Amino acid sequence: DKSDAPATAKFNVANKELIGLVIEDAKKRLDGFKKTGQFMNMVSMEPSDGGGFCTSAECLKIGGPSDQAFYLTNAVARAIQKDYPGIWVGNLAYNEHITPTKYDLESNVFVMVTNGFNRTKLSTNQLLDEWGKKAKKLGVYEYLSVYPWDNDLPGRSNATKLEFLKKSIKGYYESGARIYLAETNIGWISKGLGQYVATKLLWDYRLNVDSLADDFFVKSFGNAAPPVKRMFKSWESNAGGMI
């Protein structure tokens, strides 16, 4: 859509030639990976990051941001179903296109709901429930730590909060998510415990978090486990200020 500013320009999904070009590109990528023996079971149709959507009259007939994004995703998914069985076409439910689309989704469309940049009044779990009425497979994109948000300080990031990890991972699973992708910083000093616990809970959300934490402290710090555990506990309850 040429009327949009460059930073927010998005595809004109009403353009049939563009749809054909995107489909051709998706098939070319799949064929390329197959020839080189690389494993690839999904192609992404996620729009470029940032806001904006096509505002032409033809695009607006298709719908708003979510409808436009998943209209294109559906078109690609339909086009590859026969010749590329088992391949998924993926999209985030994110930012302006986090609201469930009005369209029924093809059976090979995957939707990953972001736990952030939520422009709706629904919680992430409620969004999963709603998207679950549309998509056969769901996931969650989690923000465990983003440096501009938490500056790697104790107590500020989701990665330092064991209770959050316990409740969120269990809740996502119960709401139908089967894929989990997290954005985080290296930050192993303040976030090591939480990131370790998260990896264990992703195998089995029913595991005891306290036992997992004790295992982390003993294996990581040996005889120094008790004082280090007290330090981590103080970090977890800290409001984010300097210690």
Side-chain angles (χ1 to χ4, degrees):
D1 180 9
K2 294 181 180 179
S3 65
D4 283 337
T8 58
K10 295 293 186 287
F11 284 156
N12 178 354
V13 295
N15 186 322
K16 292 183 179 180
E17 291 183 359
L18 180 137
I19 297 286
L21 180 65
V22 173
I23 290 171
E24 181 183 347
D25 177 71
K27 291 181 177 180
K28 187 179 296 184
R29 282 188 283 159
L30 290 169
D31 290 339
F33 274 86
K34 187 175 182 180
K35 288 179 181 177
T36 56
Q38 298 179 67
F39 178 74
M40 181 180 183
N41 68 345
M42 184 181 296
V43 289
S44 173
M45 286 298 121
E46 176 63 17
S48 57
D49 203 354
F53 59 101
C54 179
T55 56
S56 71
E58 293 80 6
C59 283
L60 293 178
K61 287 180 182 178
I62 291 171
S66 287
D67 297 327
Q68 291 183 26
F70 286 90
Y71 178 87
L72 177 61
T73 301
N74 257 352
V76 176
R78 280 193 298 271
I80 71 168
Q81 279 177 349
K82 181 179 178 181
D83 295 331
Y84 302 87
I87 300 297
W88 295 84
V89 181
N91 242 35
L92 294 175
Y94 164 72
N95 199 10
E96 291 184 352
H97 58 281
I98 198 168
T99 305
T101 176
K102 66 184 178 184
Y103 296 112
D104 292 329
L105 298 179
E106 295 294 321
S107 60
N108 56 334
V109 170
F110 166 77
V111 179
M112 178 168 276
V113 180
T114 60
N115 185 36
F117 299 95
N118 185 349
R119 293 172 175 263
T120 76
K121 294 182 179 180
L122 302 176
S123 67
T124 300
N125 289 69
Q126 290 171 326
L127 283 169
L128 283 167
D129 293 337
E130 291 303 309
W131 277 106
K133 299 172 185 177
K134 299 284 184 177
K136 297 290 185 182
K137 183 177 285 189
L138 296 174
V140 169
Y141 187 101
E142 182 63 272
Y143 295 92
L144 288 183
S145 178
V146 181
Y147 189 81
W149 300 353
D150 59 56
N151 298 119
D152 202 20
L153 292 174
R156 283 192 179 177
S157 70
N158 288 332
T160 64
K161 302 171 184 176
L162 298 189
E163 191 63 24
F164 167 82
L165 295 171
K166 176 182 177 181
K167 289 183 177 179
S168 64
I169 291 174
K170 179 176 184 290
Y172 297 153
Y173 185 88
E174 291 177 341
S175 291
R178 293 297 179 269
I179 308 294
Y180 183 97
L181 177 64
E183 180 176 340
T184 190
N185 296 312
I186 296 174
W188 285 104
I189 295 176
S190 63
K191 294 185 282 289
L193 171 61
Q195 292 176 167
Y196 172 80
V197 168
T199 61
K200 295 293 185 178
L201 292 176
L202 289 170
W203 282 104
D204 185 351
Y205 69 84
R206 297 163 296 186
L207 293 175
N208 184 282
V209 170
D210 291 335
S211 296
L212 293 174
D214 288 340
D215 183 63
F216 170 84
F217 290 123
V218 170
K219 289 181 178 178
S220 299
F221 303 103
N223 292 336
V228 173
K229 181 178 180 179
R230 290 194 297 271
M231 180 179 68
F232 269 77
K233 198 68 178 176
S234 69
W235 283 354
E236 185 179 352
S237 60
N238 185 264
M242 299 294 287
I243 295 179

